């Protein structure tokens, strides 16, 4: 073959080579490829029927003039042209953690998202999030370049388990999933008085105080109320 074509990051091509030397023994291990920035090569087979398998290097594309080389006591070569066609790879997204544990009404947790793309520009504004957003405060996504710094915080008085899917899309898309849990905390009852102070007259009548009780976690009634002085 005078020319070969490969697709970036996909598959390989086998070159069949017949080697023969009437004066010396030959081996397929004596077969090689000239230096290439685009492909790797592996020789194989049994002489005289040898093979040279070419595989494209990761994220490399372009055109080269190469040679198949056979060397024992002497060296011979056969030139050919190689074309590796480029492929638009998907962007890569990585999370600083795959899971976060919260406490109800507790602190926020940081999340760092790293974005990259060997073929195209990518930045944080191309990031989106979906999933159990009802359990969290709104998530602000920056418009900066990668890495993207986010802060996740549970909504007040909320607990449970959920998942978020972060997706980057710059023409092609990739996603990563994050799981989270919010542990329930018994926050205790709340008591409020209609008046915080009272004024009486000597031998005067009684005054009424309205007391409101609430507890989002447990049942509550006035029998549980006591007074100290």
């Amino acid at each position: 073959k005078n020319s070969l074509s490969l697709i970036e990051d996909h598959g390989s091509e086998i070159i069949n080579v017949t080697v023969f030397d009437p004066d010396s023994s030959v081996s397929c291990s004596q077969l090689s490829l000239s230096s290439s920035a685009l492909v790797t090569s592996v020789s194989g087979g049994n002489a005289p029927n040898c093979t040279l398998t070419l595989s494209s290097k990761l994220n490399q594309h372009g055109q080269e003039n190469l040679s198949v080389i056979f060397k024992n006591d002497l060296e011979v070569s056969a030139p050919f042209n190689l074309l590796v066609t480029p492929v638009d790879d998907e962007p890569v997204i990585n999370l600083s953690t795959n899971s976060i544990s919260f406490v109800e009404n507790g602190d926020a947790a940081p999340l760092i998202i790293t974005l990259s793309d060997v073929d195209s520009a990518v930045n944080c504004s191309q990031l989106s999030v979906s999933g159990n957003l009802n359990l969290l405060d709104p998530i602000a996504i920056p418009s900066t370049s990668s890495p993207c710094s986010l802060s996740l915080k549970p909504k007040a008085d909320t607990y449970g388990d959920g998942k978020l899917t972060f997706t980057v899309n710059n023409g092609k898309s990739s996603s990563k999933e994050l799981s989270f849990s919010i542990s329930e905390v018994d926050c205790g009852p709340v008591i409020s008085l209609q008046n915080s102070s009272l004024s009486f007259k000597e031998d005067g009548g009684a005054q009424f105080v309205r007391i409101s009780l609430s507890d989002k976690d447990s049942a509550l009634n006035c029998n549980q109320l006591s007074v100290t002085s």
Side-chain angles (χ1 to χ4, degrees), residues 3-15:
S3 63
L4 287 175
S5 295
L6 289 172
I7 299 176
E8 178 189 350
D9 302 335
H10 289 77
S12 59
E13 181 76 15
I14 297 176
I15 303 175

Side-chain angles (χ1 to χ4, degrees), residues 88-91 115-123 126 170-172:
D88 187 3
D89 293 312
E90 297 175 346
L115 308 175
S116 62
D117 191 324
V118 296
D119 299 309
S120 307
V122 62
N123 59 65
Q126 296 164 317
N170 65 344
K172 290 199 168 186

Side-chain angles (χ1 to χ4, degrees), residues 14-20 26-34 41-54 67-72 76-78:
I14 297 176
I15 303 175
N16 295 307
V17 183
T18 301
V19 295
F20 175 74
V26 295
S27 168
C28 293
S29 63
Q30 297 167 309
L31 192 66
S32 64
L33 182 72
S34 58
S41 64
V42 177
S43 61
N46 295 299
N49 301 312
C50 300
T51 61
L52 195 64
T53 302
L54 307 185
S67 294
V68 176
I69 300 170
F70 182 80
K71 184 177 181 180
N72 53 6
V76 293
S77 63

Side-chain angles (χ1 to χ4, degrees), residues 32 42 45 56 59 63 68 90 103 123 129 150 153 160-161 166 185 189 200 209 212:
S32 64
V42 177
S56 60
N59 298 326
Q63 187 169 325
V68 176
E90 297 175 346
V103 175
N123 59 65
V129 58
L150 281 66
K153 186 175 183 180
D161 298 330
F166 293 91
V185 173
F200 292 92
V209 178
S212 297

Side-chain angles (χ1 to χ4, degrees), residues 1 5 19 45 66 75 84 94-95 124 158 163 170 211 228:
K1 295 181 178 180
S5 295
V19 295
L66 301 175
E75 180 178 308
V84 180
N94 287 300
L95 309 182
C124 302
T158 300
K163 291 183 179 181
N170 65 344
I211 302 174
T228 59

Side-chain angles (χ1 to χ4, degrees), residues 100-102 132 134-135 158-163 179-183:
I100 297 178
S101 296
F102 297 100
N132 299 112
N134 58 305
L135 299 178
T158 300
Y159 56 89
D161 298 330
K163 291 183 179 181
S179 60
F180 66 90
S181 62
I182 308 170
S183 301

